[in-house]
Amino acid sequence: MEQPQLDWNNLGFGYKKTDFRYISHWRDGEWQEGYLTQDNHLHISEGSAALHYGQQCFEGMKAYRCKDGSINLFRPDQNAARMQRSCSRLLMPTVSTAQFIDACKQVVKANERFLPPYGTGSSLYLRPFVIGVGDNIGVRSAPEFIFCVFCIPVGALFKGVLQPSNFIISDYDRAAPNGTGAAKVGGNYAASLLPGTEARTAGFADCIYLDPLTHKKIEEVGSANFFAITYDNTFVAPRSSSVLPGITRASLIELAQSRLGLNAVEDDVYIDSLGDYKEAGACGTAAVITPIGGIHYKDRLHVFHSEHEAGPLTQRLFNELTGIQNGDIEAPAGWIEKV
């Protein structure tokens, strides 16, 4: 198996064409048998509902090479379940958990030469998605759908030592009350491009969104979930129906309690009560954890543990989770699917 000429230690996070991707078509009321193809272009109708009305959703997940040479998928059943919820919210046919996991495994196996070696901190990023296609122009659910999974090798944003970033509170809303905030749909991310760009132009890593109803509670950090840790060692993740239920977020809640002995809760995080927290961070598939050095709000930067180093509990959570993903630490039951 010829290895691609890549600098495994410095991959970054960008598109790279790999050998194969999985495609399944939904026609006549059911998903057709999926297949692998080398063609990285989709051929769809100009009237596809995904193009005009945003009828689409996606997932993000990773495959990891372990020290013994085996390959780990991290909680793929949870990604499958979240995609099913997203599909239902947008009136699209759901992909079964069995088909979802099988598709992911096929893609990893077919592109194994792109799976970064153990110890590089890099991984193989998987992007499953469902889009509404077929000839259509009215505002209605599409007559046909495509389920696809492709992959790219990506680097580690942090390698062992976490570097905090500063964020600024946005005046924009990420999602509407009772809208699609809890679904992983493209429209949520398109709406975040402008506020995110404005935050970076102002010298921050990204923006933080407050709840759309009252603008008093923290909800999300850019395209990631937020968490904070109180001075009495309670791990808090914002409670809201418009927060995306992240797989990393759910995993950290469980690990904070079971492995670190913290109290872990989903609760309101009020922007005017930042002084209650000694550490804070953003979490998601891409970065795992990004420590938050400070949050800029009302012309003032509130600093948590430090602008220069991660807090000790944040670092421990990062080490625990990445150790599980890479097979170096025993995982809770059902968290790892071997390819």
Side-chain angles (χ1 to χ4, degrees):
M1 184 170 57
E2 182 183 355
Q3 296 297 306
Q5 298 301 307
L6 295 173
D7 182 356
W8 297 114
N9 292 291
N10 298 285
L11 287 175
F13 194 91
Y15 181 83
K16 299 176 183 65
K17 184 178 183 294
T18 51
D19 293 335
F20 293 95
R21 62 276 314 133
Y22 173 99
I23 289 182
S24 176
H25 294 265
W26 189 90
R27 300 189 181 103
D28 301 322
E30 63 180 358
W31 288 106
Q32 308 297 308
E33 184 175 354
Y35 59 91
L36 294 174
T37 176
Q38 292 183 294
D39 187 0
N40 69 329
H41 292 86
L42 294 175
H43 304 271
I44 63 175
S45 168
E46 61 189 357
S48 293
L51 299 177
H52 301 279
Y53 308 122
Q55 193 180 29
Q56 60 85 242
C57 67
F58 68 98
E59 281 297 316
M61 51 194 292
K62 289 178 178 177
Y64 306 84
R65 176 74 74 183
C66 300
K67 192 173 185 178
D68 64 4
S70 63
I71 302 171
N72 281 354
L73 283 178
F74 181 70
R75 309 192 75 177
D77 58 322
Q78 297 302 302
N79 289 97
R82 186 171 63 182
M83 174 167 273
Q84 289 158 6
R85 295 192 298 268
S86 296
C87 284
S88 295
R89 178 63 180 84
L90 267 64
L91 209 59
M92 299 193 293
T94 59
V95 177
S96 72
T97 300
Q99 182 179 3
F100 182 96
I101 294 177
D102 176 65
C104 291
K105 286 184 175 181
Q106 286 192 47
V107 169
V108 173
K109 289 178 181 177
N111 296 285
E112 187 174 350
R113 72 190 189 99
F114 288 95
L115 183 67
Y118 170 82
T120 60
S122 301
S123 55
L124 190 67
Y125 181 85
L126 302 177
R127 173 54 61 87
F129 63 91
V130 176
I131 59 174
V133 297
D135 295 331
N136 178 67
I137 200 60
V139 182
R140 61 176 69 90
S141 186
E144 299 179 5
F145 297 87
I146 291 175
F147 167 51
C148 178
V149 183
F150 69 91
C151 67
I152 54 173
V154 298
L157 188 57
F158 301 112
K159 296 181 180 179
V161 179
L162 302 179
Q163 296 298 319
S165 297
N166 291 338
F167 296 81
I168 187 171
I169 297 297
S170 177
D171 292 328
Y172 293 94
D173 290 332
R174 173 185 165 269
N178 301 317
T180 58
K184 197 168 179 66
V185 298
N188 295 343
Y189 295 82
S192 74
L193 295 177
L194 176 60
T197 298
E198 291 183 354
R200 286 184 286 273
T201 300
F204 296 91
D206 209 332
C207 62
I208 291 179
Y209 298 102
L210 301 180
D211 73 288
L213 274 178
T214 69
H215 286 188
K216 293 181 179 180
K217 297 174 286 188
I218 289 178
E219 286 212 334
E220 293 214 352
V221 184
S223 57
N225 290 131
F226 177 88
F227 71 85
I229 301 172
T230 67
Y231 282 93
D232 63 357
N233 290 335
T234 295
F235 180 98
V236 185
R239 175 181 57 195
S240 171
S241 61
S242 57
V243 164
L244 183 71
I247 313 305
T248 304
R249 173 183 184 269
S251 301
L252 291 178
I253 290 173
E254 185 168 334
L255 292 176
Q257 187 164 323
S258 64
R259 300 287 175 93
L260 271 66
L262 307 180
N263 182 34
V265 299
E266 293 182 73
D267 204 353
D268 295 329
V269 178
Y270 287 94
I271 186 61
D272 290 328
S273 299
L274 294 181
D276 295 344
Y277 306 96
K278 61 180 178 180
E279 298 181 32
C283 59
T285 298
V288 185
I289 292 177
T290 301
I292 296 178
I295 294 177
H296 190 272
Y297 177 60
K298 290 185 176 179
D299 300 320
R300 175 178 175 267
L301 182 69
H302 174 88
V303 177
F304 295 97
H305 174 77
S306 167
E307 291 184 74
H308 308 292
E309 63 178 12
L313 293 175
T314 299
Q315 184 70 58
R316 285 180 61 192
L317 283 168
F318 175 84
N319 294 345
E320 191 74 21
L321 185 57
T322 55
I324 290 170
Q325 291 169 334
N326 290 295
D328 297 326
I329 296 176
E330 184 178 358
W335 278 27
I336 296 299
E337 181 85 27
K338 288 292 185 182
V339 175

